[in-house]
Amino acid sequence: MKRPAFLNLRRLEGRIVALFLALLVLVQLTSWLITYANIRRSTEVAVEAELKTGQRMLAHLLAQGALQQVAVLRQLENNHGIRSVLAEASGMAPTEFAETLFSALDSKNNHLVDASVIAYVAADFHLVTATRPQAEAFAALLPALIQAKEDEDAGNNAAGRSSLALVGGRAYQLVFVPVKAAGLGGWLLMAVDLQAEPLRELQTLSGLSSAFLLRQGQQAWAPLGSVLDQKAAATVAGQVQVGEPAFALQLGEEEMRGLYVPLLRSGEQQLSVLLLRSFDQAFESYRTLRQTQGSLTVLGILVFALGSVLTARRISRPIKTLADSAERLGAGDYDTPVAQDGNADEVGDLARAFEAMRHGIQERDASLNELAFKDQLTGLPNRAGFVQQLELWLSGHAEQPCAVLTLGLDRFKHVNDVQGHEFGDLLLHKVARRLQELLPSTEDSLARLSGDEFAVLLSDADETSALALADAIHRDFERPLRLKDQTVDLSAGIGMALSPPHGRDAKQLLSRASLAMFEAKKRQSGSVLYSASLDAGSQESLSLLSELRHAVEAGELRLFLQPKVDLQSGRIISAEALVRWQHPQRGLVPPMLFIPFAEQTGFIRTLTRWVIEASAAAWAQAHAQGLALRISVNLSTRDLLDQDLPAKIQTLLDAHGARSDALCLEITESAIMDDPQRALHTLEQLHARGFKLSIDDFGTGYSSLAYLKRLPVHELKIDKSFVMAMETDLGDAKIVRSTVELAHNLGLSVVAEGVETAKAWRLLSALGCDEGQGYFIAKPMPHEQFIAWLQAWRAPDLSDSDADTMLDQLG
């Protein structure tokens, strides 16, 4: 199941949502941690305050108890019966003395007699009598207590006094009052054992737990009295931190805070009280606040998540729409408008820019299509347009016959040279009109293939119809043509190919008709119908193939290099590899005399291998001398159909230590169209290995933008026929400019062939062309001479070349 876009971190929408939520969670987490820390700190402060308050409350409770004990002693001291007893108390048994005191006290204070030690001490501080035998130890403390109290209270001993004392490992609260009866004197003393009673009162009033602790020397603290059970009291006693007024301790699973309060130090003995408050319970009181904050945090995240999803969709949807539009443009759909939402934001600007780009590409595509498929001089379809028409007709009329006629004018080059290009153009225009008038049907079509070559598609025609039209053309050409007071005699060679007898493929039919036309010109017979004997199966062809094989084995082939120059900097950056045949009898054979034959017979693969290996060796030689050079090698149709070609090329390069960037592989458009799928597969393999790929003779073959954009190529080479004519023909100059713009828009570099003059160089440079090659730079030369020539190369001075007029006309 496909995840929503806002959950996919690879999508813009998902990254926006994730970023927003991450920031919110970070802020909320930070806020929660700060709040948690503040609550905990506040709890610490509150607990510490409670413990301090408990300390004061305990002191108050002890003072209150002392006052109550003093009041009891006052009651006894003022009782006449007790005074009489005190006068006779010497030697009185403790039991008797206790019973006497019990009878003299109010019933509400009788419990003090049971819970304490009461003694009568004479003025000389010897014990007269007491309620319990151990009272002598308390009597012994009395002089020091009285002295301390007098020092503290500046000698006022009329009131009762109280203090704490440690006796026999127990803690007591001592109170004493003077006996003022005449003839008696001395002191009444009460010692109350400090148990848990004041601590329980403290717990009732403040909720604090507490314990009295006693320590002998450096021994552990031991509880004397506590509101805790014995085990718990022992546990907290072991965690007392004397140096800290308030400290943390653990009681089971509960976190506590304790306040250590020293009460008394007597020799090696120390008495203190430990006040306890549950930190967990105090912190729990803030639960509602924490829950509220948590709920608000979760709610905020949910609301923020919803808002971020909506915001992300608002941003990503227009971008997704633009991406779809870009894909359509990439696929060649220039008719569907780019969706625009009318917003004035950056996305809206981008949408409008896309729409403007679509209009521009649509207009340029239409213009380029017209240039690519239409002859600018005659207004007829060119070679590509004719092939397209022929393919459409063949695909739509599978069962119907047709005929293809190709016509080549005789002596046209001579007329062009003598009378000039303007006269030649006018002649071609008149010939086109006369041929158009001879077509027997409106479904028939006429095209101009090249300079003096025309082609005719006769629909629903057989051999008789084709011969009849050829005869009509010859008879019409018997009438001289008069131009500019000049009379021109017309003649032509006509070749014919029939479908289906000679094939159902447009390219094959045109090729066979052209082959028949060349034979007609050779024989001077006027018209020739294609036959299999015209193909490469003749004895002459077999002889030539044998000689070619011998040329490779005997080392008769020579590598020539023609340099390519960077038209902007004037620097030589690459060269095209050309093969020449040094025949023992014929001398240096030009490639046009054996390359087409090698392509027909399949021997071109052997030649290609030889050229690549020779180019790799030449590159290695240049590289060894520190020269950066890329060598361009042409690949044929049969080369592209070889699926093992990439591996074979790599093996040849490895043998000479050359890299894949040492070569640029040039492919003609027609070579690709023989088997587009296999050719494309081979090109993709070459591209993957790092080879630079170039489309050779662009504009003369089967140019198609929809197909061109699928090819993994890096470079376009403009055919020299356009470059050489652009200095005088504005239409050809426009074709060159449009081709350069098209290539650059597709991310391709452009090389122009046929740079024959300084003016052509300047025009191409001004039009943005990247590289150029031609006789103005250098003719092809043996590779042995190339390095020395390259080292001596200096770019020519182009300042005198007159290209401004043509540039002004181009706008």
Side-chain angles (χ1 to χ4, degrees):
M1 181 177 179
K2 187 177 181 181
R3 289 181 296 173
F6 66 85
L7 294 179
N8 189 348
L9 294 181
R10 295 186 177 181
R11 303 297 298 275
L12 175 62
E13 189 174 329
R15 290 197 292 270
I16 292 175
V17 172
L19 176 62
F20 281 17
L21 285 182
L23 290 176
L24 177 63
V25 170
L26 178 62
V27 171
Q28 292 291 80
L29 180 60
T30 303
S31 174
W32 190 89
L33 290 175
I34 292 174
T35 303
Y36 179 85
N38 287 335
I39 291 175
R40 191 172 180 86
R41 178 58 185 159
S42 298
T43 305
E44 296 274 6
V45 172
V47 168
E48 187 173 348
E50 289 184 44
L51 292 172
K52 293 288 186 182
T53 302
Q55 178 185 359
R56 292 191 293 272
M57 292 178 67
L58 179 60
H60 180 72
L61 289 173
L62 292 175
Q64 286 290 96
L67 289 175
Q68 184 182 3
Q69 295 160 18
V70 168
V72 171
L73 292 181
R74 286 297 180 195
Q75 182 183 354
L76 292 173
E77 191 270 337
N78 290 327
N79 188 287
H80 292 286
I82 296 301
R83 288 182 177 181
S84 299
V85 172
L86 293 178
E88 302 173 356
S90 178
M92 184 179 290
T95 304
E96 183 182 357
F97 185 59
E99 290 176 353
T100 302
L101 294 179
F102 187 80
S103 63
L105 289 174
D106 294 336
S107 60
K108 64 180 181 180
N109 292 318
N110 287 339
H111 68 284
L112 290 175
V113 177
D114 294 332
S116 62
V117 177
I118 300 176
Y120 172 48
V121 181
D124 59 356
F125 300 112
H126 76 271
L127 178 65
V128 178
T129 186
T131 60
R132 295 186 183 179
Q134 67 267 39
E136 187 173 355
F138 298 112
L141 295 174
L142 188 57
L145 294 176
I146 292 174
Q147 183 60 48
K149 291 300 180 183
E150 286 177 350
D151 293 343
E152 181 182 344
D153 300 336
N156 181 13
N157 59 357
R161 297 291 185 263
S162 70
S163 184
L164 297 177
L166 295 172
V167 176
R170 302 294 298 175
Y172 296 89
Q173 187 173 30
L174 299 180
V175 296
F176 51 95
V177 297
V179 178
K180 300 177 181 180
L184 289 177
W187 305 83
L188 277 177
L189 182 145
M190 179 183 289
V192 180
D193 193 358
L194 282 180
Q195 296 292 328
E197 185 59 32
L199 302 183
R200 280 192 286 269
E201 291 184 34
L202 176 63
Q203 186 178 41
T204 301
L205 293 173
S206 65
L208 299 178
S209 301
S210 55
F212 287 120
L213 305 176
L214 179 65
R215 182 166 72 172
Q216 181 72 31
Q218 297 301 319
Q219 296 178 7
W221 290 96
L224 289 179
S226 174
V227 297
L228 304 172
D229 59 51
Q230 185 177 0
K231 182 179 179 181
T235 299
V236 298
Q239 301 181 58
V240 170
Q241 299 178 25
V242 176
E244 297 290 337
F247 53 90
L249 64 155
Q250 200 73 25
L251 184 57
E253 298 295 329
E254 188 172 13
E255 185 178 359
M256 308 290 289
R257 292 294 182 272
L259 179 65
Y260 164 77
V261 182
L263 297 177
L264 176 64
R265 186 181 185 93
S266 177
E268 292 294 322
Q269 298 184 89
Q270 300 178 56
L271 177 66
S272 65
V273 65
L274 178 62
L275 303 177
L276 298 170
R277 175 70 164 96
S278 173
F279 183 83
D280 290 342
Q281 290 180 2
F283 191 68
E284 188 68 14
S285 63
Y286 292 95
R287 174 188 290 181
T288 303
L289 176 61
R290 298 200 308 272
Q291 290 178 341
T292 301
Q293 185 188 20
S295 300
L296 290 176
T297 298
V298 173
L299 180 62
I301 291 175
L302 291 176
V303 173
F304 204 79
L306 178 61
S308 61
V309 168
L310 295 177
T311 302
R313 286 185 175 177
R314 181 176 178 82
I315 294 173
S316 64
R317 282 184 176 176
I319 296 177
K320 179 63 169 63
T321 301
L322 291 179
D324 293 339
S325 299
E327 288 182 1
R328 288 197 301 270
L329 289 174
D333 180 6
Y334 307 128
D335 298 325
T336 304
V338 176
Q340 303 181 52
D341 55 10
N343 291 337
D345 55 12
E346 290 80 356
V347 177
D349 294 341
L350 184 61
R352 286 184 285 275
F354 265 62
E355 179 63 11
M357 181 180 73
R358 184 187 69 83
H359 279 295
I361 294 177
Q362 188 179 39
E363 293 174 358
R364 287 185 179 89
D365 188 53
S367 175
L368 288 174
N369 279 333
E370 182 176 355
L371 292 174
F373 293 102
K374 189 175 181 180
D375 177 52
Q376 300 301 304
L377 174 63
T378 62
L380 297 174
N382 59 13
R383 179 182 294 273
F386 181 77
V387 171
Q388 186 182 62
Q389 290 182 356
L390 182 55
E391 287 176 342
L392 288 174
W393 198 93
L394 290 172
S395 62
H397 303 79
E399 304 298 329
Q400 290 182 276
C402 70
V404 174
L405 286 74
T406 56
L407 177 147
L409 297 178
D410 296 329
R411 301 179 303 280
F412 176 75
K413 185 178 184 302
H414 175 73
V415 173
N416 215 29
D417 292 340
V418 173
Q419 300 295 337
H421 289 288
E422 183 179 354
F423 188 89
D425 291 345
L426 184 58
L427 173 63
L428 293 173
H429 185 73
K430 292 293 185 180
V431 169
R433 289 184 57 184
R434 289 176 64 168
L435 291 175
Q436 190 77 45
E437 293 172 356
L438 293 175
L439 297 182
S441 171
T442 57
E443 293 185 4
D444 303 331
S445 61
L446 174 68
R448 181 192 174 200
L449 301 181
S450 61
D452 63 349
E453 291 185 23
F454 294 85
V456 176
L457 167 61
L458 280 181
S459 58
D460 198 16
D462 54 13
E463 180 180 350
T464 302
S465 302
L467 291 172
L469 178 59
D471 184 60
I473 293 173
H474 285 305
R475 283 187 281 105
D476 185 78
F477 276 14
E478 291 175 358
R479 295 184 295 112
L481 190 66
R482 190 167 186 81
L483 295 172
K484 292 184 177 183
D485 298 327
Q486 297 288 331
T487 300
V488 180
D489 292 323
L490 295 177
S491 63
I494 300 176
M496 296 167 285
L498 307 176
S499 178
H502 301 149
R504 296 292 297 179
D505 178 77
K507 179 182 176 182
Q508 186 182 54
L509 284 173
L510 184 59
S511 175
R512 289 178 171 178
S514 298
L515 186 61
M517 178 193 70
F518 293 139
E519 187 65 20
K521 282 177 166 288
K522 181 178 178 181
R523 298 179 187 175
Q524 296 292 313
S525 58
S527 303
V528 171
L529 182 66
Y530 169 80
S531 64
S533 62
L534 299 178
D535 274 329
S538 64
Q539 187 62 38
E540 181 181 353
S541 297
L542 292 175
S543 175
L544 182 59
L545 178 59
S546 177
E547 289 189 57
L548 266 177
R549 287 198 180 98
H550 180 268
V552 174
E553 296 170 357
E556 297 176 1
L557 299 182
R558 301 287 182 268
L559 178 68
F560 275 53
L561 296 176
Q562 185 175 26
K564 298 181 184 180
V565 67
D566 185 321
L567 295 175
Q568 311 300 323
S569 66
R571 185 169 57 91
I572 301 298
I573 58 178
S574 60
E576 182 174 2
L578 303 171
V579 61
R580 297 292 188 265
W581 182 3
Q582 188 66 49
H583 196 279
Q585 287 80 37
R586 304 179 189 177
L588 195 63
V589 181
M592 288 305 298
L593 296 183
F594 63 90
I595 292 296
F597 170 76
E599 289 181 344
Q600 290 181 17
T601 59
F603 191 73
I604 192 67
R605 291 186 178 181
T606 302
L607 293 182
T608 300
R609 177 186 175 87
W610 184 92
V611 172
I612 291 175
E613 185 169 13
S615 298
W619 180 89
Q621 182 181 357
H623 184 70
Q625 298 190 35
L627 299 176
L629 183 67
R630 179 188 291 114
I631 300 179
S632 297
V633 177
N634 289 280
L635 298 182
S636 69
T637 302
R638 294 181 182 268
D639 292 323
L640 286 182
L641 298 182
D642 182 3
Q643 300 299 293
D644 297 328
L645 177 67
K648 292 177 180 178
I649 295 178
Q650 191 65 57
T651 300
L652 294 174
L653 291 179
D654 293 343
H656 294 274
R659 304 186 302 266
S660 58
D661 59 0
L663 297 184
C664 175
L665 305 177
E666 297 184 359
I667 310 100
T668 61
E669 299 170 81
S670 58
I672 299 171
M673 296 307 294
D674 265 5
D675 190 338
Q677 293 302 320
R678 290 183 64 184
L680 180 60
H681 180 67
T682 303
L683 293 178
E684 288 174 344
Q685 291 188 62
L686 292 169
H687 178 270
R689 289 178 178 266
F691 291 102
K692 183 177 182 180
L693 302 176
S694 175
I695 296 294
D696 195 12
D697 298 338
F698 183 77
T700 62
Y702 302 90
S703 307
S704 168
L705 294 180
Y707 191 76
L708 178 61
K709 67 183 180 60
R710 294 174 52 197
L711 300 177
V713 297
H714 309 84
E715 177 184 278
L716 291 185
K717 291 189 71 175
I718 305 176
D719 185 67
K720 62 183 179 181
S721 61
F722 299 110
V723 176
M724 296 175 66
M726 72 176 182
E727 296 182 41
T728 57
D729 191 328
L730 185 60
D732 284 319
K734 289 180 178 179
I735 291 175
V736 173
R737 180 182 65 182
S738 300
T739 303
V740 172
E741 290 178 356
L742 168 66
H744 286 171
N745 287 335
L746 293 174
L748 308 179
S749 59
V750 183
V751 178
E753 295 181 294
V755 180
E756 308 294 319
T757 63
K759 180 179 179 181
W761 184 326
R762 281 203 60 197
L763 281 174
L764 290 168
S765 177
L767 294 177
C769 187
D770 301 289
E771 300 176 36
Q773 70 180 100
Y775 280 15
F776 180 72
I777 301 162
K779 294 181 179 181
M781 65 189 76
H783 77 277
E784 297 88 355
Q785 303 173 11
F786 183 80
I787 292 179
W789 178 90
L790 179 59
Q791 293 172 334
W793 161 260
R794 297 293 183 273
D797 183 8
L798 305 177
S799 57
D800 294 336
S801 60
D802 182 16
D804 295 336
T805 302
M806 178 65 73
L807 290 173
D808 291 339
Q809 292 176 342
L810 288 173

